[in-house]
Amino acid sequence: MVQRNAKSSTGLDENVAASLSYLLGFITGFVFYWEEKESDLVRFHALQSIITFIPVWIVLLVLEWIPLIGTLAWILALMLWVLLMIRAYSGRAYRLPFVGAIAEDVVRRSAEKKAHGGDQEP
């Protein structure tokens, strides 16, 4: 597998920053989404982290009171978390169903707005 070693505006390699955007769920998602100015890959993974892990966190808070289902939900959430970190580290935009499309659309619109922003006069 070929690794992209492009740098993000955070100073980290894109794949490392993208992977770290999942480290603490939506918290690091917010940090990397706000701090990243250049890399659409990092912004995509950061936004996907936010959109994914806020509802996951809420569901886990509700289901933790049900012994077997709560434990199963935590295991599934942990598996999802590890999967997303590994896929982000691969340097590609791994899209989750529904959530990935939303994150990709927001990042694309943001990039288009930034690209056309210099052409507009105040």
Side-chain angles (χ1 to χ4, degrees), residues 11-76:
L12 300 169
D13 288 344
E14 276 186 324
N15 63 328
V16 173
S19 185
L20 289 176
S21 67
Y22 293 106
L23 186 63
L24 298 176
F26 64 88
I27 296 168
T28 49
F30 277 120
V31 170
F32 278 92
Y33 190 74
W34 284 328
E35 292 298 318
E36 182 56 49
K37 305 297 184 224
E38 311 238 346
S39 173
D40 288 344
L41 179 73
V42 175
R43 290 178 55 81
F44 165 79
H45 282 291
L47 190 56
Q48 182 167 260
S49 177
I50 295 165
I51 298 170
T52 300
F53 286 108
I54 287 177
V56 165
W57 182 71
I58 292 168
V59 167
L60 289 175
L61 284 176
V62 171
L63 293 181
E64 75 180 7
W65 300 103
I66 305 170
L68 184 58
I69 294 174
T71 302
L72 181 60
W74 274 100
I75 291 170
L76 292 173

